[in-house]
Amino acid sequence: MNLRSRRTDGRPTIADVARRAGVGAITVSRALRDPTQVSEALRRMIDDAVRELNYVPNLNARALASIRTDVVGVLVPSLTQNIFSDVLRGVYDGVDGSNLQIQVGNTHYNEDEEERLIGQMLRQKPAGMIISGTDQNARSRTMLENAGCPVIQIMDLTDDPIDTVIGFSHYEAGRAITRHLIEAGYRNIGFLSGWMNSRSLGRLAGLTDTLKEAGMYNPKLITPIVTGQPVHEHKDEKKMSFATPLGARKLLSGLLEADPRMDAVFCNNDSMALGVLFECMQRGIRVPEDFGIAGFNDFDIMEAAHPSLSSVRSPRWESGHEAVLALRRRLDGDEAGPKVVDLGFQVMKRGSTDRHGGLARNPARGTW
């Protein structure tokens, strides 16, 4: 087989990758098909060459020429955050009773690692792929568009999915929790976050637009934001530490110094909301009378805190479960369903934003 003449459209070939990496074309082919068949050093050289040349395997041709496995590739950005533990629980519940097997990859919020894992999983000819988020880079998106199997993005929404997207709007969630804070009587509302990904930026955009519409936007009450992808959730502690209760206490202190009038804050996650509550307790700030607190995701601890903490409940288990069910329907030969599936969210109104005691008088008003 002449690998040099496999493509006539000007795109790089395996032979090009082999020349760049300084190895044989057969070695490249073996490494792309099964990375475990070559040494780690060779794999790095070939991966570097693939990335430099922007080489994209012809995955459609491979799919037509071979039988797919029963493996479903699932990519999440973290295995230590409860958010994605719940997503994976939904995925595993969804495959129960089927022949499908789950292979999980952890991208560590790093787009290069996500790209590498996508290529690795697709070379194994999976039955389908489930990917967290909708912000894949251009090369990852190209590989997924040519995957020859169902691809389902989860935990966010987009009008332009690769195949199917199942999730909810972080922008609308940000708007909803901000409206609740305004309706509860708070007027100087801040946003607390450490580093940001695309979903966090959607929440911030929702808060910002809602505050501007109400004439309440104050840029002093938005924490200095670190955007981008931490290389590794354990190694990049400087960025990740601000998303913890201790980090939130430090950030809240900075906002209160910038503008002591601040009387409420929307936190990018529940851990930060807990940290804000602890800082308020130490400073003698009454919650919710003097200060309102809202988080995001609504883990059990939010209801167990005193006062209980308001939060946006995200459909974590539902996202994983519905993605697998949609994939199973496709594999069973059913026609593809809607390309965009909005699972919605809930604003859980609790004691930390009950400034005028309305929820205590009417607990049924505690959710939207």
Side-chain angles (χ1 to χ4, degrees):
M1 179 174 62
N2 183 1
L3 291 175
R4 293 175 184 269
S5 60
R6 290 185 68 180
R7 292 181 180 173
T8 60
D9 57 5
R11 291 184 295 160
T13 67
I14 283 182
D16 296 324
V17 174
R19 281 193 295 271
R20 178 63 64 92
V23 299
I26 293 176
T27 301
V28 174
S29 180
R30 184 184 300 121
L32 294 178
R33 185 172 59 252
D34 184 358
T36 64
Q37 296 300 307
V38 299
S39 69
E40 183 177 349
L42 267 180
R43 188 164 63 248
R44 282 200 299 266
M45 291 168 57
I46 292 169
D47 285 345
D48 288 344
V50 165
R51 192 169 291 111
E52 290 167 7
L53 292 171
N54 198 29
Y55 171 74
V56 179
N58 189 345
L59 297 168
N60 275 339
R62 292 186 182 184
L64 292 172
S66 61
I67 299 174
R68 292 207 163 268
T69 67
D70 291 329
V71 171
V72 175
V74 181
L75 291 183
V76 295
S78 171
L79 294 178
T80 60
Q81 296 184 42
N82 290 339
I83 306 167
F84 300 105
S85 299
D86 289 344
V87 170
L88 290 175
R89 185 166 54 85
V91 167
Y92 279 101
D93 287 349
V95 300
D96 190 34
S98 74
N99 293 325
L100 296 175
Q101 303 175 48
I102 300 301
Q103 180 177 338
V104 178
N106 182 3
T107 69
H108 304 292
Y109 289 99
N110 182 281
E111 66 176 24
D112 292 334
E113 178 66 4
E114 181 177 66
E115 177 187 315
R116 186 188 73 80
L117 288 171
I118 289 171
Q120 185 179 82
M121 287 183 172
L122 291 181
R123 287 192 287 272
Q124 300 175 45
K125 303 176 180 65
M129 293 286 292
I130 298 173
I131 314 288
S132 294
T134 61
D135 57 342
Q136 288 73 36
N137 66 24
R139 193 168 188 283
S140 293
R141 187 178 179 96
T142 298
M143 286 193 289
L144 292 168
E145 288 172 342
N146 295 318
C149 67
V151 175
I152 300 178
Q153 296 162 289
I154 61 172
M155 293 298 288
D156 204 351
L157 290 181
T158 176
D159 294 331
D160 184 30
I162 293 169
D163 180 351
T164 299
V165 61
I166 298 175
F168 67 103
S169 171
H170 292 259
Y171 174 79
E172 293 299 335
R175 286 182 67 85
I177 191 66
T178 307
R179 286 196 300 268
H180 165 58
L181 290 170
I182 293 171
E183 292 168 0
Y186 300 102
R187 294 296 177 263
N188 295 285
I189 301 168
F191 181 79
L192 208 62
S193 181
W195 65 278
M196 302 279 282
N197 57 31
S198 63
R199 295 175 290 283
S200 303
L201 289 170
R203 300 167 203 166
L204 174 58
L207 172 134
T208 299
D209 288 351
T210 306
L211 290 178
K212 286 182 177 179
E213 290 168 4
M216 299 179 183
Y217 179 68
N218 181 352
K220 292 182 179 180
L221 298 183
I222 309 297
T223 53
I225 294 167
V226 178
T227 58
Q229 310 283 351
V231 173
H232 192 289
E233 59 189 320
H234 298 302
K235 292 181 180 178
D236 202 340
E237 296 177 358
K238 184 176 181 181
K239 287 181 182 178
M240 296 299 291
S241 64
F242 286 111
T244 64
L246 181 59
R249 295 186 66 173
K250 296 177 181 178
L251 291 173
L252 179 67
S253 296
L255 288 187
L256 288 172
E257 289 177 9
D259 193 335
R261 297 173 302 168
M262 183 170 68
D263 61 358
V265 67
F266 170 35
C267 300
N268 194 38
N269 63 38
D270 289 343
S271 293
M272 299 189 80
L274 283 170
V276 169
L277 177 61
F278 298 154
E279 184 66 19
C280 287
M281 292 170 63
Q282 180 167 323
R283 289 171 175 257
I285 298 173
R286 299 180 304 165
V287 177
E289 295 87 353
D290 300 329
F291 201 89
I293 306 169
F296 197 93
N297 280 315
D298 195 42
F299 293 116
D300 291 345
I301 197 169
M302 301 297 276
E303 189 169 8
H306 182 74
S308 57
L309 289 163
S310 297
S311 187
V312 175
R313 178 172 293 175
S314 58
R316 303 178 298 276
W317 180 89
E318 293 85 354
S319 292
H321 192 255
E322 290 302 314
V324 173
L325 295 187
L327 192 151
R328 289 179 64 173
R329 288 192 293 268
R330 293 274 292 279
L331 297 176
D332 289 340
D334 292 351
E335 292 186 8
K339 293 178 67 66
V340 178
V341 179
D342 188 350
L343 297 177
F345 56 85
Q346 287 180 290
V347 174
M348 309 304 295
K349 305 175 186 179
R350 298 195 179 98
S352 66
T353 56
D354 190 16
R355 194 170 206 177
H356 301 301
L359 295 182
R361 292 191 298 271
N362 186 5
R365 293 176 54 206
T367 64
W368 281 1

